[in-house]
Amino acid sequence: EYETSEAVRQYALSWANGVCQGCGEEAPFIAENGKPYLEVHHITRMSDGGADSPENVVALCPNCHRRVHEGRDGDKFNQSLKH
């Protein structure tokens, strides 16, 4: 397990501004903290040498995040997320 930067996480969420960077839809719900719920995803996994940096993260809705990790087209979809 890798330790990730809270600043990088916050950057990704701020940059997305409540909109999933995978499907372009608004976050599916508002979290308990009052902010749109999106999940931060590392495009290149840290275990594969990916950096914990703004250039390597996007904010995704839960469906798009699962699509990357579990979908038949997950690798192709993940590549489309690169900035």
Side-chain angles (χ1 to χ4, degrees):
E1 193 166 315
Y2 294 84
E3 189 172 330
T4 59
S5 166
E6 181 63 20
V8 170
R9 183 179 169 285
Q10 290 302 322
Y11 171 86
L13 295 172
S14 177
W15 180 259
N17 195 30
V19 176
C20 174
Q21 293 176 277
C23 65
E25 297 292 322
E26 289 190 24
F29 59 90
I30 302 299
E32 287 184 4
N33 64 8
K35 297 179 181 179
Y37 182 83
L38 294 171
E39 299 172 352
V40 176
H41 168 69
H42 287 81
I43 298 168
T44 301
R45 293 180 298 194
M46 293 175 69
S47 62
D48 291 335
D52 187 30
S53 67
E55 299 80 23
N56 190 44
V57 294
V58 291
L60 300 174
C61 70
N63 282 343
C64 285
H65 201 191
R66 291 287 32 102
R67 180 180 175 188
V68 167
H69 292 290
E70 307 294 337
R72 184 179 297 175
D73 68 340
D75 289 336
K76 183 178 178 181
F77 180 57
N78 189 53
Q79 291 304 309
S80 76
L81 300 173
K82 289 188 176 182
H83 302 290

Coordinates of all heavy atoms in Angstrom, one line a residue:
E1 N 0.8 -1.2 0.0 CA 0.0 0.0 0.0 C 0.9 1.2 0.0 O 1.9 1.3 0.7 CB -0.9 0.0 1.2 CG -2.0 1.0 1.1 CD -3.1 0.8 2.1 OE1 -3.5 -0.4 2.3 OE2 -3.5 1.7 2.8
Y2 N 0.5 2.2 -0.7 CA 1.2 3.4 -0.9 C 0.6 4.6 -0.2 O -0.7 4.7 -0.2 CB 1.4 3.8 -2.4 CG 2.2 2.8 -3.1 CD1 1.7 1.6 -3.6 CD2 3.6 2.9 -3.3 CE1 2.4 0.6 -4.3 CE2 4.4 2.0 -3.9 CZ 3.8 0.9 -4.4 OH 4.5 -0.1 -5.1
E3 N 1.4 5.5 0.4 CA 0.8 6.7 1.0 C 0.7 7.7 -0.1 O 1.6 8.0 -0.9 CB 1.8 7.2 2.1 CG 1.2 8.3 2.9 CD 2.1 8.6 4.1 OE1 2.8 7.7 4.6 OE2 2.0 9.8 4.5
T4 N -0.5 8.4 -0.1 CA -0.7 9.4 -1.1 C -0.9 10.7 -0.5 O -1.2 10.9 0.7 CB -2.0 9.1 -2.0 OG1 -3.1 9.0 -1.1 CG2 -1.8 7.7 -2.7
S5 N -0.6 11.7 -1.3 CA -0.6 13.1 -0.8 C -2.0 13.7 -0.7 O -2.8 13.6 -1.7 CB 0.2 14.0 -1.7 OG 0.0 15.4 -1.5
E6 N -2.4 14.2 0.4 CA -3.7 14.9 0.5 C -3.8 16.1 -0.4 O -4.8 16.4 -1.0 CB -4.0 15.3 2.0 CG -5.3 15.9 2.2 CD -6.5 15.0 1.9 OE1 -6.4 13.8 1.8 OE2 -7.6 15.6 1.7
A7 N -2.7 16.8 -0.6 CA -2.7 17.9 -1.5 C -2.9 17.5 -2.9 O -3.7 18.2 -3.6 CB -1.3 18.7 -1.4
V8 N -2.4 16.4 -3.4 CA -2.6 15.9 -4.7 C -4.1 15.5 -4.9 O -4.8 15.8 -5.9 CB -1.7 14.8 -5.1 CG1 -2.1 14.1 -6.4 CG2 -0.3 15.3 -5.2
R9 N -4.6 14.9 -3.9 CA -6.0 14.4 -3.9 C -6.9 15.7 -4.0 O -7.9 15.7 -4.8 CB -6.3 13.7 -2.6 CG -7.7 13.1 -2.5 CD -7.9 12.3 -1.2 NE -9.3 12.1 -0.9 CZ -10.2 13.0 -0.5 NH1 -9.8 14.2 -0.3 NH2 -11.5 12.6 -0.4
Q10 N -6.7 16.7 -3.2 CA -7.5 17.9 -3.2 C -7.4 18.6 -4.5 O -8.3 19.2 -5.0 CB -7.1 18.8 -2.0 CG -7.5 18.3 -0.7 CD -9.0 18.0 -0.6 OE1 -9.8 18.8 -1.1 NE2 -9.4 16.9 0.1
Y11 N -6.2 18.6 -5.1 CA -6.0 19.2 -6.4 C -6.9 18.5 -7.5 O -7.6 19.2 -8.2 CB -4.5 19.1 -6.9 CG -4.3 19.5 -8.3 CD1 -4.1 20.8 -8.6 CD2 -4.4 18.5 -9.3 CE1 -3.9 21.2 -10.0 CE2 -4.2 18.9 -10.6 CZ -4.0 20.2 -11.0 OH -3.9 20.6 -12.3
A12 N -6.9 17.2 -7.5 CA -7.7 16.5 -8.5 C -9.2 16.8 -8.3 O -9.9 17.1 -9.3 CB -7.5 15.0 -8.3
L13 N -9.6 16.8 -7.0 CA -11.1 17.1 -6.8 C -11.4 18.6 -7.1 O -12.5 18.8 -7.7 CB -11.4 16.8 -5.3 CG -11.3 15.4 -4.9 CD1 -11.4 15.2 -3.4 CD2 -12.3 14.5 -5.7
S14 N -10.5 19.5 -6.8 CA -10.7 20.9 -7.2 C -10.8 21.1 -8.7 O -11.6 21.8 -9.2 CB -9.6 21.7 -6.5 OG -9.8 23.1 -6.9
W15 N -9.8 20.5 -9.4 CA -9.7 20.6 -10.8 C -11.0 20.1 -11.5 O -11.5 20.6 -12.4 CB -8.5 19.8 -11.3 CG -8.3 19.9 -12.8 CD1 -8.6 18.9 -13.7 CD2 -7.8 21.0 -13.6 NE1 -8.4 19.3 -15.0 CE2 -7.8 20.6 -14.9 CE3 -7.3 22.2 -13.3 CZ2 -7.4 21.4 -16.0 CZ3 -6.9 23.0 -14.3 CH2 -6.9 22.6 -15.6
A16 N -11.5 18.9 -11.0 CA -12.7 18.3 -11.6 C -14.0 19.2 -11.3 O -14.9 19.1 -12.1 CB -12.9 16.9 -11.0
N17 N -14.0 20.0 -10.3 CA -15.1 20.9 -9.9 C -16.4 20.1 -9.9 O -17.4 20.6 -10.5 CB -15.1 22.0 -10.9 CG -16.0 23.2 -10.5 OD1 -16.1 23.4 -9.3 ND2 -16.5 23.9 -11.4
G18 N -16.5 18.9 -9.3 CA -17.7 18.2 -9.2 C -18.2 17.4 -10.4 O -19.3 16.9 -10.4
V19 N -17.3 17.4 -11.4 CA -17.7 16.7 -12.7 C -16.7 15.5 -12.9 O -15.5 15.7 -12.9 CB -17.7 17.6 -13.9 CG1 -17.9 16.9 -15.2 CG2 -18.7 18.7 -13.7
C20 N -17.2 14.3 -13.2 CA -16.4 13.2 -13.4 C -15.6 13.4 -14.7 O -16.1 13.8 -15.7 CB -17.3 11.9 -13.6 SG -16.4 10.5 -14.2
Q21 N -14.3 13.1 -14.6 CA -13.4 13.3 -15.7 C -13.4 12.1 -16.7 O -12.7 12.2 -17.7 CB -12.0 13.7 -15.3 CG -11.9 15.0 -14.6 CD -10.6 15.3 -14.0 OE1 -10.3 14.9 -12.9 NE2 -9.8 16.1 -14.7
G22 N -14.2 11.2 -16.4 CA -14.3 10.0 -17.3 C -15.5 10.1 -18.2 O -15.4 10.1 -19.4
C23 N -16.7 10.4 -17.6 CA -18.0 10.4 -18.4 C -18.5 11.9 -18.6 O -19.4 12.1 -19.4 CB -19.0 9.6 -17.7 SG -19.5 10.1 -16.1
G24 N -17.9 12.8 -17.8 CA -18.4 14.2 -18.0 C -19.7 14.5 -17.2 O -20.2 15.6 -17.4
E25 N -20.2 13.6 -16.4 CA -21.4 13.8 -15.7 C -21.1 14.4 -14.3 O -20.0 14.2 -13.8 CB -22.2 12.5 -15.5 CG -22.6 11.9 -16.8 CD -23.7 12.7 -17.5 OE1 -24.6 13.3 -16.8 OE2 -23.7 12.8 -18.7
E26 N -22.0 15.1 -13.7 CA -21.9 15.6 -12.4 C -21.7 14.4 -11.4 O -22.2 13.3 -11.6 CB -23.0 16.5 -12.0 CG -23.1 17.8 -12.7 CD -24.1 18.8 -12.1 OE1 -24.5 18.6 -10.9 OE2 -24.5 19.6 -12.9
A27 N -21.0 14.7 -10.3 CA -20.9 13.7 -9.2 C -22.2 13.1 -8.9 O -23.2 13.8 -8.9 CB -20.2 14.3 -8.0
P28 N -22.3 11.8 -8.6 CA -23.6 11.2 -8.4 C -24.3 11.6 -7.1 O -25.5 11.4 -7.0 CB -23.3 9.7 -8.3 CG -21.8 9.6 -7.9 CD -21.2 10.9 -8.5
F29 N -23.6 12.1 -6.1 CA -24.3 12.6 -4.9 C -23.3 13.5 -4.1 O -22.2 13.6 -4.5 CB -24.7 11.4 -4.0 CG -23.6 10.5 -3.6 CD1 -22.9 10.7 -2.4 CD2 -23.3 9.4 -4.4 CE1 -21.9 9.9 -2.0 CE2 -22.2 8.5 -4.0 CZ -21.5 8.8 -2.8
I30 N -23.9 14.1 -3.1 CA -23.1 15.0 -2.3 C -22.7 14.2 -1.0 O -23.5 13.5 -0.4 CB -23.9 16.3 -1.8 CG1 -24.4 17.0 -3.1 CG2 -23.1 17.1 -0.9 CD1 -23.3 17.6 -3.9
A31 N -21.4 14.2 -0.7 CA -20.9 13.5 0.4 C -21.3 14.1 1.7 O -21.8 15.3 1.8 CB -19.4 13.3 0.3
E32 N -21.0 13.4 2.8 CA -21.3 14.0 4.1 C -20.6 15.3 4.4 O -21.1 16.1 5.2 CB -21.0 12.9 5.2 CG -22.0 11.8 5.3 CD -21.7 10.8 6.4 OE1 -20.8 11.1 7.2 OE2 -22.4 9.8 6.5
N33 N -19.5 15.5 3.8 CA -18.7 16.8 4.0 C -19.3 17.9 3.2 O -18.8 19.0 3.2 CB -17.2 16.6 3.7 CG -17.0 16.2 2.2 OD1 -17.9 16.3 1.4 ND2 -15.7 15.9 1.9
G34 N -20.4 17.7 2.4 CA -21.1 18.7 1.7 C -20.5 18.9 0.3 O -20.9 19.8 -0.4
K35 N -19.5 18.1 -0.1 CA -18.9 18.3 -1.4 C -19.3 17.1 -2.4 O -19.7 16.0 -1.9 CB -17.4 18.3 -1.3 CG -16.9 19.4 -0.4 CD -15.4 19.4 -0.3 CE -14.9 20.6 0.6 NZ -13.4 20.5 0.8
P36 N -19.3 17.4 -3.7 CA -19.6 16.3 -4.6 C -18.7 15.1 -4.5 O -17.5 15.3 -4.2 CB -19.4 17.0 -6.0 CG -19.4 18.5 -5.7 CD -18.9 18.6 -4.3
Y37 N -19.3 13.9 -4.5 CA -18.5 12.7 -4.3 C -17.9 12.2 -5.6 O -18.5 11.8 -6.5 CB -19.3 11.6 -3.7 CG -18.5 10.3 -3.4 CD1 -17.8 10.2 -2.3 CD2 -18.4 9.3 -4.4 CE1 -17.0 9.1 -2.0 CE2 -17.7 8.2 -4.1 CZ -17.0 8.1 -3.0 OH -16.2 7.0 -2.7
L38 N -16.5 12.3 -5.6 CA -15.7 11.7 -6.7 C -14.6 11.0 -6.1 O -14.1 11.3 -5.0 CB -15.2 12.8 -7.7 CG -16.3 13.6 -8.5 CD1 -15.7 14.8 -9.2 CD2 -17.0 12.6 -9.5
E39 N -14.0 10.0 -6.8 CA -12.9 9.2 -6.3 C -11.7 9.6 -7.1 O -11.7 9.7 -8.3 CB -13.2 7.8 -6.4 CG -14.4 7.3 -5.6 CD -14.9 5.9 -5.9 OE1 -14.4 5.2 -6.8 OE2 -15.7 5.5 -5.1
V40 N -10.5 9.8 -6.4 CA -9.3 10.1 -7.1 C -8.6 8.9 -7.6 O -8.4 7.9 -6.9 CB -8.4 11.0 -6.2 CG1 -7.1 11.3 -6.9 CG2 -9.1 12.3 -5.8
H41 N -8.2 8.9 -8.9 CA -7.6 7.7 -9.5 C -6.3 8.1 -10.1 O -6.1 9.1 -10.8 CB -8.6 7.3 -10.7 CG -8.0 6.3 -11.6 ND1 -7.7 5.0 -11.2 CD2 -7.6 6.4 -12.9 CE1 -7.2 4.3 -12.3 NE2 -7.1 5.2 -13.3
H42 N -5.3 7.2 -9.8 CA -4.0 7.4 -10.4 C -4.0 6.7 -11.8 O -4.2 5.5 -11.9 CB -2.9 6.7 -9.5 CG -2.6 7.5 -8.3 ND1 -3.4 7.5 -7.2 CD2 -1.6 8.4 -8.0 CE1 -2.9 8.3 -6.3 NE2 -1.9 8.9 -6.8
I43 N -3.7 7.4 -12.9 CA -3.8 6.9 -14.2 C -2.7 5.8 -14.4 O -3.0 4.7 -14.9 CB -3.6 8.0 -15.3 CG1 -4.8 9.0 -15.1 CG2 -3.5 7.4 -16.7 CD1 -4.6 10.3 -15.9
T44 N -1.5 6.0 -14.0 CA -0.5 5.0 -13.9 C -0.3 4.6 -12.4 O 0.0 5.5 -11.6 CB 0.9 5.5 -14.4 OG1 0.7 5.8 -15.8 CG2 1.9 4.3 -14.3
R45 N -0.7 3.4 -12.1 CA -0.6 3.0 -10.7 C 0.7 3.2 -10.0 O 1.8 3.1 -10.7 CB -1.0 1.5 -10.5 CG -2.4 1.2 -10.9 CD -2.7 -0.3 -10.8 NE -1.8 -1.0 -11.7 CZ -1.9 -2.3 -12.0 NH1 -2.9 -3.0 -11.5 NH2 -1.1 -2.9 -12.9
M46 N 0.7 3.6 -8.8 CA 1.9 3.9 -8.1 C 2.8 2.6 -8.0 O 4.0 2.6 -8.1 CB 1.7 4.4 -6.7 CG 1.1 5.9 -6.8 SD 0.6 6.5 -5.2 CE 2.2 6.8 -4.4
S47 N 2.1 1.5 -7.9 CA 2.8 0.2 -7.9 C 3.5 -0.1 -9.2 O 4.4 -1.0 -9.3 CB 1.9 -1.0 -7.6 OG 0.8 -1.1 -8.5
D48 N 3.1 0.6 -10.3 CA 3.7 0.4 -11.6 C 4.7 1.6 -11.9 O 5.1 1.8 -13.0 CB 2.7 0.4 -12.7 CG 1.9 -0.9 -12.7 OD1 2.4 -1.9 -12.2 OD2 0.7 -0.9 -13.2
G49 N 5.0 2.4 -10.8 CA 6.0 3.5 -11.0 C 5.3 4.8 -11.2 O 6.0 5.8 -11.5
G50 N 4.0 4.9 -11.2 CA 3.3 6.1 -11.4 C 3.5 7.1 -10.2 O 3.6 6.7 -9.1
A51 N 3.6 8.4 -10.6 CA 3.8 9.4 -9.6 C 2.5 9.8 -8.8 O 1.4 9.7 -9.4 CB 4.4 10.6 -10.2
D52 N 2.7 10.2 -7.6 CA 1.5 10.8 -6.9 C 1.6 12.3 -7.1 O 2.1 13.0 -6.3 CB 1.7 10.4 -5.4 CG 0.4 10.9 -4.6 OD1 -0.7 10.9 -5.2 OD2 0.6 11.2 -3.4
S53 N 1.2 12.7 -8.3 CA 1.3 14.0 -8.8 C 0.1 14.5 -9.5 O -0.6 13.6 -10.0 CB 2.6 14.2 -9.7 OG 2.4 13.5 -10.9
P54 N -0.1 15.8 -9.6 CA -1.3 16.2 -10.3 C -1.4 15.7 -11.8 O -2.5 15.5 -12.3 CB -1.2 17.8 -10.3 CG -0.4 18.0 -9.1 CD 0.6 16.9 -9.0
E55 N -0.3 15.5 -12.4 CA -0.3 15.1 -13.8 C -0.8 13.6 -14.0 O -1.1 13.2 -15.1 CB 1.1 15.2 -14.5 CG 1.6 16.6 -14.5 CD 2.2 17.1 -13.2 OE1 2.6 16.2 -12.3 OE2 2.2 18.3 -13.0
N56 N -0.8 12.9 -12.9 CA -1.1 11.4 -12.9 C -2.4 11.1 -12.2 O -2.7 9.9 -12.0 CB 0.0 10.6 -12.3 CG -0.1 9.2 -12.5 OD1 -0.4 8.7 -13.6 ND2 0.2 8.4 -11.5
V57 N -3.2 12.1 -11.9 CA -4.5 11.8 -11.2 C -5.7 12.5 -11.9 O -5.5 13.5 -12.5 CB -4.5 12.2 -9.7 CG1 -3.5 11.4 -8.9 CG2 -4.2 13.7 -9.5
V58 N -6.8 11.8 -11.8 CA -8.1 12.4 -12.2 C -9.1 12.0 -11.2 O -8.9 11.1 -10.3 CB -8.5 11.8 -13.6 CG1 -7.6 12.3 -14.7 CG2 -8.6 10.3 -13.6
A59 N -10.2 12.8 -11.2 CA -11.4 12.5 -10.3 C -12.5 11.8 -11.1 O -12.9 12.4 -12.1 CB -11.8 13.8 -9.7
L60 N -12.9 10.7 -10.6 CA -13.9 9.9 -11.3 C -15.1 9.6 -10.5 O -15.0 9.4 -9.2 CB -13.3 8.5 -11.8 CG -12.1 8.6 -12.7 CD1 -11.5 7.2 -12.9 CD2 -12.4 9.2 -14.0
C61 N -16.3 9.4 -11.1 CA -17.4 8.9 -10.4 C -17.2 7.4 -10.1 O -16.3 6.8 -10.7 CB -18.7 9.1 -11.2 SG -18.8 8.1 -12.7
P62 N -17.9 6.9 -9.1 CA -17.6 5.5 -8.7 C -17.8 4.5 -9.9 O -17.0 3.6 -10.1 CB -18.7 5.2 -7.7 CG -19.0 6.5 -7.1 CD -18.9 7.5 -8.2
N63 N -18.7 4.8 -10.8 CA -18.9 3.9 -12.0 C -17.7 3.9 -12.9 O -17.2 2.9 -13.3 CB -20.2 4.3 -12.8 CG -21.4 3.8 -12.1 OD1 -21.4 2.9 -11.3 ND2 -22.6 4.3 -12.5
C64 N -17.2 5.1 -13.2 CA -16.0 5.2 -14.1 C -14.8 4.6 -13.4 O -14.0 4.0 -14.1 CB -15.8 6.6 -14.5 SG -17.0 7.2 -15.8
H65 N -14.7 4.8 -12.1 CA -13.5 4.2 -11.4 C -13.6 2.7 -11.4 O -12.6 2.1 -11.7 CB -13.5 4.7 -9.9 CG -12.2 4.7 -9.3 ND1 -12.0 4.8 -8.0 CD2 -11.0 4.4 -9.8 CE1 -10.7 4.7 -7.7 NE2 -10.1 4.4 -8.8
R66 N -14.7 2.1 -11.3 CA -14.9 0.7 -11.4 C -14.6 0.2 -12.8 O -14.0 -0.8 -13.0 CB -16.2 0.2 -10.9 CG -16.5 0.4 -9.4 CD -15.8 -0.6 -8.4 NE -14.5 -1.1 -8.7 CZ -13.3 -0.7 -8.1 NH1 -13.3 0.4 -7.3 NH2 -12.2 -1.3 -8.4
R67 N -15.1 1.0 -13.8 CA -14.8 0.7 -15.2 C -13.3 0.6 -15.5 O -12.9 -0.4 -16.2 CB -15.5 1.7 -16.1 CG -15.3 1.5 -17.6 CD -15.9 2.6 -18.4 NE -15.7 2.4 -19.8 CZ -16.0 3.3 -20.7 NH1 -16.6 4.4 -20.4 NH2 -15.7 3.1 -22.0
V68 N -12.6 1.5 -15.0 CA -11.1 1.4 -15.2 C -10.5 0.1 -14.6 O -9.7 -0.5 -15.3 CB -10.4 2.6 -14.5 CG1 -8.9 2.4 -14.4 CG2 -10.7 3.9 -15.2
H69 N -11.0 -0.2 -13.4 CA -10.3 -1.4 -12.7 C -11.0 -2.7 -13.1 O -10.3 -3.8 -13.0 CB -10.4 -1.2 -11.2 CG -9.5 -0.1 -10.8 ND1 -8.1 -0.2 -10.8 CD2 -9.7 1.2 -10.3 CE1 -7.5 0.9 -10.4 NE2 -8.5 1.8 -10.1
E70 N -12.3 -2.7 -13.4 CA -13.0 -4.0 -13.6 C -13.6 -4.1 -15.0 O -14.0 -5.2 -15.4 CB -14.1 -4.1 -12.6 CG -13.7 -3.9 -11.2 CD -12.8 -5.0 -10.7 OE1 -12.8 -6.1 -11.2 OE2 -12.1 -4.7 -9.7
G71 N -13.6 -3.1 -15.8 CA -14.3 -3.1 -17.1 C -13.5 -3.9 -18.2 O -12.3 -3.9 -18.2
R72 N -14.2 -4.5 -19.1 CA -13.6 -5.1 -20.2 C -12.7 -4.2 -21.0 O -11.6 -4.6 -21.5 CB -14.7 -5.7 -21.1 CG -14.1 -6.5 -22.3 CD -15.2 -7.1 -23.2 NE -16.0 -8.0 -22.4 CZ -17.1 -8.6 -22.8 NH1 -17.6 -8.3 -24.0 NH2 -17.8 -9.4 -22.0
D73 N -13.1 -2.9 -21.1 CA -12.3 -1.9 -21.8 C -11.5 -1.0 -20.8 O -11.1 0.1 -21.2 CB -13.2 -1.1 -22.7 CG -14.2 -0.2 -21.9 OD1 -14.4 -0.4 -20.7 OD2 -14.7 0.8 -22.5
G74 N -11.3 -1.5 -19.6 CA -10.7 -0.7 -18.6 C -9.3 -0.1 -19.0 O -9.1 1.1 -18.7
D75 N -8.5 -0.8 -19.6 CA -7.1 -0.3 -20.0 C -7.3 0.8 -21.0 O -6.6 1.8 -20.9 CB -6.2 -1.4 -20.5 CG -5.8 -2.4 -19.4 OD1 -5.8 -2.0 -18.2 OD2 -5.4 -3.5 -19.8
K76 N -8.1 0.6 -22.0 CA -8.3 1.6 -23.1 C -8.9 2.8 -22.5 O -8.5 3.9 -22.8 CB -9.2 1.0 -24.2 CG -9.4 1.9 -25.3 CD -10.2 1.2 -26.4 CE -10.5 2.2 -27.6 NZ -11.3 1.6 -28.6
F77 N -9.9 2.6 -21.6 CA -10.6 3.8 -21.0 C -9.6 4.5 -20.1 O -9.6 5.8 -20.2 CB -11.8 3.3 -20.2 CG -12.6 4.4 -19.5 CD1 -13.1 5.4 -20.2 CD2 -12.7 4.3 -18.1 CE1 -13.8 6.4 -19.5 CE2 -13.4 5.3 -17.4 CZ -14.0 6.4 -18.2
N78 N -8.8 3.8 -19.4 CA -7.8 4.5 -18.5 C -6.8 5.3 -19.4 O -6.5 6.4 -19.0 CB -7.0 3.4 -17.7 CG -6.1 4.0 -16.7 OD1 -6.5 4.8 -15.9 ND2 -4.8 3.7 -16.8
Q79 N -6.4 4.8 -20.5 CA -5.5 5.6 -21.4 C -6.1 6.8 -21.9 O -5.5 7.9 -22.1 CB -5.0 4.7 -22.6 CG -4.1 3.6 -22.1 CD -2.9 4.1 -21.4 OE1 -2.2 5.0 -21.8 NE2 -2.6 3.5 -20.2
S80 N -7.5 6.8 -22.1 CA -8.2 8.0 -22.6 C -8.2 9.1 -21.5 O -8.6 10.2 -21.8 CB -9.6 7.6 -23.0 OG -10.4 7.4 -21.9
L81 N -7.9 8.8 -20.3 CA -8.0 9.7 -19.2 C -6.7 10.6 -19.1 O -6.7 11.6 -18.3 CB -8.3 9.0 -17.9 CG -9.5 8.2 -17.8 CD1 -9.6 7.4 -16.5 CD2 -10.8 9.1 -17.9
K82 N -5.7 10.2 -19.8 CA -4.4 11.0 -19.7 C -4.7 12.4 -20.1 O -5.4 12.7 -21.1 CB -3.3 10.3 -20.5 CG -2.9 9.0 -19.9 CD -1.7 8.5 -20.6 CE -1.2 7.2 -19.9 NZ 0.0 6.6 -20.5
H83 N -4.0 13.3 -19.4 CA -4.2 14.8 -19.6 C -3.6 15.1 -21.0 O -2.6 14.7 -21.4 CB -3.5 15.6 -18.5 CG -4.1 15.3 -17.2 ND1 -5.3 15.7 -16.8 CD2 -3.5 14.7 -16.1 CE1 -5.5 15.3 -15.5 NE2 -4.4 14.7 -15.1

